[in-house]
Amino acid sequence: MKATETMDIAEKETLLAEAENFIRTYGREWGEPQADTERRWVEVQREIEATGTYTHTCAELEHGARMAWRHANRCIGRLFWKGLHVFDARGADSEADVFAALERHIEYATNGGEIRTAITIFKPARDGKAQVRIWNHQLLRYAGYASEEGVVGDPASAAFTQVCQRLGWRGEGTPFDLLPLVVQVREGEPRLSPLPEGLAREVPLAHPTCDLFHGFPVKWYAVPIISDMGLEIGGILYTAAPFNGWYMGTEIGARNLADDARYGLLPLVARNLGLDTGTNASLWKDRALVELNVAVLHSFRRDGVSIVDHHTAAQQFSTFRRNEEREGRETTGRWSWLIPPLSPATTDIFHSRFEDRELSPKYVYQQAPYL
Ligand code: ARG
């Protein structure tokens, strides 16, 4: 027997095992009659024998995506996993279809500011090859232009911004230029599409009582839509499955705008607050952080855009853990990601321990297609 055939057999065994595990867990959680589960399992086995893969039903796809959220060890927002809205975009077959589905996702999720959690699931990988990939890290994100004096915009986007420029895109050059969508279908060239005017909701930031930014207009987009992770359900890998929640304030105020390697606004904010930045002991960084986070929460609320503060999010996570316990499931988690970056010890997450075990279905990192 040739080596490749041996590998195929091993791969098929793995797929069968993962599929069986998922089909049975799905049946159990869904309260499906045992006979229906057995019938479905036979059907899946036949499809795998005949074609080397199998096709999830819409209900399996929906529940699988929700389970993957429930299993997301780094996510503090898992209380809402059952409410994830699933768009089945497995029929999208061209770049135009994919762009249309992505625009529909942004529109649905934004919902005039009352953000709805959603995922759009495209065709899964076939024979280990992606059929659809989204090159963006998030559907909405700001460009980062490398220059002599450092990066203008978001340094986290510097490499991807160059990719967009190579594909012919030219941004305005402001620190807050929304990047275009870049998608790839099968082995084709990546295609680029600027976001339609008015589709992406943004929130200009202001502090309720102080002039934090003093002439430097700061804003952030309303919806974080992760678009570069894969979704694995029952041995099937969906390589394009953008999903969103709503923001927790600290993601913007204590990381995106604050980190040295991102917008690095703490010195500016501290100076505008009149703090002594000459000594660590004035706690200027801490005080600037707090006011920056006040500005984020205040501005989103003012504009009627959903956002959660980290204290409330931590309480919601406790409720999630209690719910899971009631269902007889252990909550796995990654402590270093679950604690908020601001005042972590004020939340009970800080005082808890979690097992960082990976359960399936799950969201997985993927190698960036342009690296
Ligand atoms: N931390 C990322 C950002 O600031 C978003 C990650 C997902 N966040 C969420 N609230 N669902 O853009």
Side-chain angles (χ1 to χ4, degrees):
M1 188 180 288
K2 283 186 297 186
T4 51
E5 281 172 10
T6 326
M7 235 185 75
D8 289 347
I9 288 167
E11 268 170 26
K12 196 170 80 186
E13 288 308 316
T14 314
L15 177 58
L16 282 165
E18 289 172 344
E20 178 172 21
N21 183 37
F22 171 68
I23 295 298
R24 294 197 184 286
T25 313
Y26 166 83
R28 204 175 335 107
E29 290 194 7
W30 205 242
E32 191 178 63
Q34 184 70 37
D36 290 5
T37 304
E38 294 308 328
R39 207 173 311 119
R40 175 62 179 143
W41 170 228
V42 169
E43 188 178 85
V44 167
Q45 279 171 281
R46 286 210 186 105
E47 193 179 342
I48 293 175
E49 293 299 342
T51 69
T53 186
Y54 73 106
T55 312
H56 290 128
T57 65
C58 292
E60 287 163 0
L61 190 70
E62 182 173 87
H63 193 64
R66 290 174 176 168
M67 285 174 78
W69 185 4
R70 190 178 82 204
H71 295 159
N73 287 351
R74 306 176 192 87
C75 177
I76 192 176
R78 286 180 269 168
L79 174 61
F80 303 99
W81 68 275
K82 284 182 181 162
L84 180 66
H85 182 82
V86 178
F87 287 111
D88 181 356
R90 288 176 293 177
D93 207 39
S94 65
E95 290 86 353
D97 292 348
V98 176
F99 288 131
L102 296 179
E103 287 169 19
R104 175 182 63 172
H105 184 132
I106 296 168
E107 172 90 52
Y108 174 90
T110 307
N111 191 31
E114 205 185 315
I115 293 169
R116 297 183 280 208
T117 63
I119 183 168
T120 299
I121 306 178
F122 295 96
K123 280 185 204 315
R126 188 71 225 259
D127 303 321
K129 286 201 200 99
Q131 306 293 295
V132 183
R133 265 309 289 270
I134 299 162
W135 283 30
N136 307 64
H137 162 61
Q138 293 181 26
L139 296 187
L140 309 178
R141 230 191 183 202
Y142 297 123
Y145 307 97
S147 78
E148 310 276 85
E149 304 93 70
V151 176
V152 174
D154 193 342
S157 297
F160 180 65
T161 301
Q162 278 189 2
V163 169
C164 294
Q165 288 171 328
R166 246 181 276 134
L167 293 171
W169 180 76
R170 288 287 165 272
E172 272 186 58
T174 81
F176 298 100
D177 292 347
L178 284 162
L179 287 158
L181 299 171
V182 178
V183 310
Q184 180 179 9
V185 171
R186 289 177 288 272
E187 243 92 276
E189 289 300 311
R191 295 280 178 79
L192 184 147
S193 165
L195 291 165
E197 198 61 44
L199 182 65
R201 180 79 185 258
E202 296 179 282
V203 179
L205 300 187
H207 188 280
T209 56
C210 324
D211 182 10
L212 282 196
F213 307 120
H214 200 72
F216 178 63
V218 176
K219 59 179 175 176
W220 204 257
Y221 51 86
V223 195
I225 315 171
I226 302 290
S227 49
D228 56 357
M229 290 182 84
L231 164 60
E232 184 270 320
I233 303 175
I236 302 295
L237 179 65
Y238 295 93
T239 54
F243 59 84
N244 77 279
W246 46 81
Y247 264 115
M248 178 164 82
T250 55
E251 298 184 86
I252 303 167
R255 302 298 312 279
N256 302 347
L257 296 177
D259 278 7
D260 282 340
R262 300 291 299 282
Y263 280 81
L265 294 185
L266 293 185
L268 173 79
V269 168
R271 279 196 302 276
N272 291 335
L273 287 167
L275 302 173
D276 179 3
T277 56
T279 165
N280 286 331
S282 69
L283 298 188
W284 62 269
K285 287 189 183 177
D286 309 76
R287 295 179 67 182
L289 265 174
V290 170
E291 299 311 332
L292 188 49
N293 278 273
V294 166
V296 169
L297 293 170
H298 165 79
S299 308
F300 272 65
R301 288 199 60 139
R302 177 203 60 208
D303 286 5
V305 176
S306 310
I307 194 159
V308 65
D309 66 82
H310 50 293
H311 302 289
T312 305
Q315 287 164 353
Q316 291 168 342
F317 189 68
S318 296
T319 306
F320 168 70
R321 290 173 69 186
R322 279 196 302 277
N323 291 351
E324 287 300 289
E325 204 174 312
R326 222 180 308 115
E327 297 286 339
R329 290 188 293 256
E330 183 201 357
T331 298
T332 55
R334 184 172 303 178
W335 187 87
S336 61
W337 273 64
L338 290 171
I339 55 165
L342 204 61
S343 316
T346 64
T347 69
D348 63 4
I349 301 173
F350 186 88
H351 308 279
S352 308
R353 287 288 169 275
F354 303 90
E355 228 198 290
D356 188 5
R357 196 155 28 83
E358 277 193 3
L359 300 172
S360 175
K362 60 174 180 274
Y363 295 102
V364 296
Y365 286 140
Q366 308 182 98
Q367 164 89 260
Y370 51 87
L371 287 183

